[in-house]
Amino acid sequence: MTTTVDTSKLETRLFINNEFVNSVAGKTFETVNPATEEVVCSVQEAGPEDVDKAVAAAKAAFEVGSPWRNLNGSDRRDLMLKLANLVERDRAFLEVLEAMDNGKPIGTDGRYGTSVDLHLVIQYLRYAAGHADKVLGSQIPVDGHIFAYTRKEPVGVCGAIIPWNFPLLMFAWKVGPILATGCTVVFKTSEKTPLSALHIGKLIKEAGFPPGVVNILSGYGSAGEALARHMDVDKIAFTGSTAVGHKIEQYATESNMKKVTLELGGKSPMIILDDANLETAVNTARAGLFLNQGQVCTASSRIFVHESIHDKFVAAMVQNAQGINVGGYDEKDIDQGPQVDKIQFLKVLGYIEKGIEEGATLRLGGHRHGNKGYFIEPTIFTDVKDDMVIAKEEIFGPVMSIFKFKTDEEAITRANATKYGLAASVVSENGARAISTAHQLRAGTVWINTHNSFDAAVPFGGYKESGHGRELGFEAMENYLETKTVMMPLTGPKV
């Protein structure tokens, strides 16, 4: 039985200094259920003044001698574990809230949905908590009679701007290393999906985090710009489009040269070699592209298939995709929900029209599903050329493009011919051949015989215009640490 969410009782205010408050300007915006096109509720809209208040709270919480700075690493660990337990307690509620606000299915019987996201959120919070008391410096042997060592220190006040496609999971990916390393943070969530993070604000306070450590603002890009330009923010972390990523870098440079990590867009290739198992290839391609309505930065939107198995693969892929069940989160056995909003819905349909216009062959879908909600049919194109718009631009929807290739070398060259480098995958029964191919692909993550597989311990991030810095794994902690060198001459005999 699906948990019921009473929308009249949802928290819609800004979370600043451990209190929920209205915005200074008193402005609000509506958040919409994309499955019904109906308004869920109105949410307080953060402006520059609210950013100033939140940053001031985070700065105060980071001051030497503050309750937060006085905590041991083990204390931070315990608070984070308590937060994870509270998320687990409220898991069923959060699964429905996230589905209502974002549109993705809840996920049952092994299907992807918010239930999977919540599992990963809890897993990562606990993983990151394990690093809180293991932030280590090192003693360095140097010439002369000198004691030299390094210590790792928190970078300070952080800004975190998170996207709408995985609202809670991206919140966790940012807040985990931020808290583990002892930083403080101001979040700016997407105006499309603000609700689940606000509920986490309640749990932050309930867990016992001191005021100002975590602040959560709902709002538009103007609030994100104010955060990225703020002179009291020491580091900004952004997940979103490459176009906005360029702006974040600009804002950071034009203000105080704050540190920046970026996880940006992709146009991820999947290379299906001639020795691939057909069933594995089809299942991998389905998970790679249609997961989360195609709204995944790592979506395998360029499927390169060896010419000798191309036709068999296309027939099997079309048949498989015909079995994808499209519907709202509260319907039974749903694989694919709506796009997140009308803007994204029309954008994806526009790309489909462009693919047809440029001469690609539409093999499946290509239209709106139903007459209510922002649903799009699972769509497959063949005869796609590398210079077509649908082959070059990130669509962020359930639109698969299939290409033919003759040789491994050709496939690798074409796969790398993009400004992006977030992820890629290879499907092959020959392990040595698959690994060789993986090593030649210019991408931060390369999967073999799988796609869109993540784990808390495995670092994730991009090459080229897909960003820089890594999330997950210990590498994520490094984003929020400064290295300080301390040197002191010694007296007495050198030993």
Side-chain angles (χ1 to χ4, degrees):
M1 181 177 177
T2 302
T3 300
T4 301
V5 171
D6 184 346
T7 57
S8 68
K9 296 181 179 179
L10 292 175
E11 183 55 70
T12 60
R13 293 170 294 174
L14 311 178
F15 185 67
I16 300 175
N17 211 32
N18 267 14
E19 300 295 337
F20 285 99
V21 297
N22 290 329
S23 64
V24 172
K27 295 176 66 176
T28 63
F29 64 93
E30 294 178 339
T31 183
V32 174
N33 182 336
T36 64
E37 303 181 46
E38 296 172 354
V39 174
V40 176
C41 59
S42 293
V43 178
Q44 291 289 314
E45 179 186 338
E49 303 92 341
D50 303 294
V51 172
D52 287 341
K53 287 176 61 179
V55 171
K59 183 179 180 181
F62 189 72
E63 291 292 336
V64 173
S66 71
W68 178 242
R69 293 298 299 277
N70 281 339
L71 293 180
N72 298 315
S74 58
D75 297 323
R76 297 198 304 274
R77 175 201 64 202
D78 292 346
L79 282 173
M80 293 177 68
L81 291 174
K82 187 172 182 180
L83 176 61
N85 291 341
L86 292 172
V87 173
E88 189 167 47
R89 182 197 69 188
D90 291 359
R91 178 173 178 167
F93 173 82
L94 285 165
E95 287 174 0
V96 176
L97 182 62
E98 188 94 316
M100 178 187 295
D101 206 23
N102 171 276
K104 64 178 72 184
I106 291 176
T108 58
D109 301 324
R111 293 176 170 87
Y112 168 75
T114 57
S115 60
V116 175
D117 286 0
L118 263 295
H119 167 76
L120 295 173
V121 166
I122 296 163
Q123 178 198 55
Y124 187 63
L125 288 175
R126 289 173 174 157
Y127 171 85
H131 283 291
D133 58 353
K134 302 174 184 66
V135 178
L136 306 175
S138 59
Q139 189 268 325
I140 306 168
V142 297
D143 291 348
H145 199 24
I146 297 173
F147 177 47
Y149 67 95
T150 62
R151 54 181 273 132
K152 297 289 187 178
E153 299 181 351
V155 70
V157 176
C158 301
I161 303 173
I162 57 175
W164 47 260
N165 56 336
F166 295 94
L168 273 180
L169 190 55
M170 296 300 100
F171 185 98
W173 283 17
K174 299 287 190 292
V175 84
I178 286 170
L179 296 179
T181 56
C183 297
T184 61
V185 63
V186 177
F187 276 94
K188 204 292 285 183
T189 60
S190 171
E191 72 279 5
K192 302 177 192 293
T193 53
L195 298 179
S196 56
L198 292 174
H199 185 79
I200 296 295
K202 292 183 178 180
L203 305 187
I204 291 283
K205 185 173 182 177
E206 184 178 350
F209 285 90
V213 174
V214 178
N215 307 271
I216 303 168
L217 306 179
S218 313
Y220 291 86
S222 57
E225 179 178 349
L227 187 59
R229 288 188 181 277
H230 206 287
M231 296 298 290
D232 289 331
V233 171
D234 302 297
K235 186 254 166 43
I236 194 84
F238 171 77
T239 297
S241 71
T242 294
V244 177
H246 279 286
K247 293 182 179 179
I248 298 296
E249 291 268 31
Q250 175 187 339
Y251 301 153
T253 300
E254 291 176 350
S255 52
N256 59 347
M257 295 290 289
K258 58 180 62 68
K259 291 177 174 290
V260 179
T261 53
L262 302 170
E263 195 267 278
L264 306 176
K267 194 67 179 174
S268 300
M270 176 181 293
I271 298 176
I272 300 175
L273 300 175
D274 56 4
D275 63 354
N277 176 281
L278 185 61
E279 182 179 1
T280 299
V282 169
N283 290 336
T284 302
R286 172 171 167 159
L289 191 282
F290 294 113
L291 182 83
N292 201 37
Q293 299 70 251
Q295 297 171 150
V296 186
C297 51
T298 57
S300 57
S301 51
R302 294 186 296 148
I303 310 287
F304 293 93
V305 185
H306 192 274
E307 61 181 4
S308 66
I309 60 171
H310 174 272
D311 293 349
K312 288 183 179 180
F313 172 81
V314 170
M317 188 70 248
V318 169
Q319 182 179 21
N320 182 288
Q322 286 172 334
I324 294 175
N325 295 321
V326 181
Y329 74 89
D330 53 353
E331 299 178 48
K332 189 177 179 181
D333 300 330
I334 295 301
D335 301 300
Q336 179 182 313
Q339 308 312 120
V340 73
D341 66 0
K342 186 175 183 179
I343 295 172
Q344 190 65 19
F345 170 76
L346 294 175
K347 178 182 176 183
V348 174
L349 289 177
Y351 274 116
I352 292 171
E353 292 175 5
K354 191 66 175 177
I356 295 170
E357 177 186 313
E358 291 189 325
T361 301
L362 183 65
R363 300 295 295 265
L364 181 70
H367 307 96
R368 178 177 191 164
H369 174 87
N371 54 21
K372 186 179 183 181
Y374 304 124
F375 299 96
I376 295 177
E377 297 172 339
T379 297
I380 298 176
F381 281 107
T382 58
D383 304 312
V384 183
K385 307 301 180 187
D386 292 357
D387 60 351
M388 291 181 177
V389 170
I390 60 170
K392 295 188 296 183
E393 297 184 11
E394 188 175 32
I395 298 173
F396 234 58
V399 181
M400 178 181 288
S401 296
I402 301 176
F403 308 72
K404 282 184 185 179
F405 72 89
K406 294 179 181 293
T407 67
D408 294 10
E409 293 75 18
E410 175 200 342
I412 293 165
T413 298
R414 292 170 65 192
N416 286 334
T418 173
K419 68 180 182 180
Y420 299 110
L422 190 56
S425 58
V426 182
V427 184
S428 171
E429 291 290 275
N430 185 322
R433 183 183 181 193
I435 289 173
S436 176
T437 302
H439 288 184
Q440 296 175 71
L441 291 170
R442 295 277 296 157
T445 296
V446 181
W447 292 289
I448 296 175
N449 294 332
T450 187
H451 199 101
N452 283 331
S453 178
F454 297 91
D455 187 271
V458 179
F460 172 75
Y463 288 12
K464 299 187 280 188
E465 290 191 45
S466 288
H468 49 72
R470 292 294 180 268
E471 300 196 275
L472 306 178
F474 180 74
E475 283 84 348
M477 307 297 152
E478 294 285 0
N479 295 331
Y480 300 94
L481 293 170
E482 296 277 20
T483 300
K484 176 178 285 183
T485 297
V486 180
M487 301 179 72
M488 180 178 68
L490 299 178
T491 59
K494 184 174 181 180
V495 295

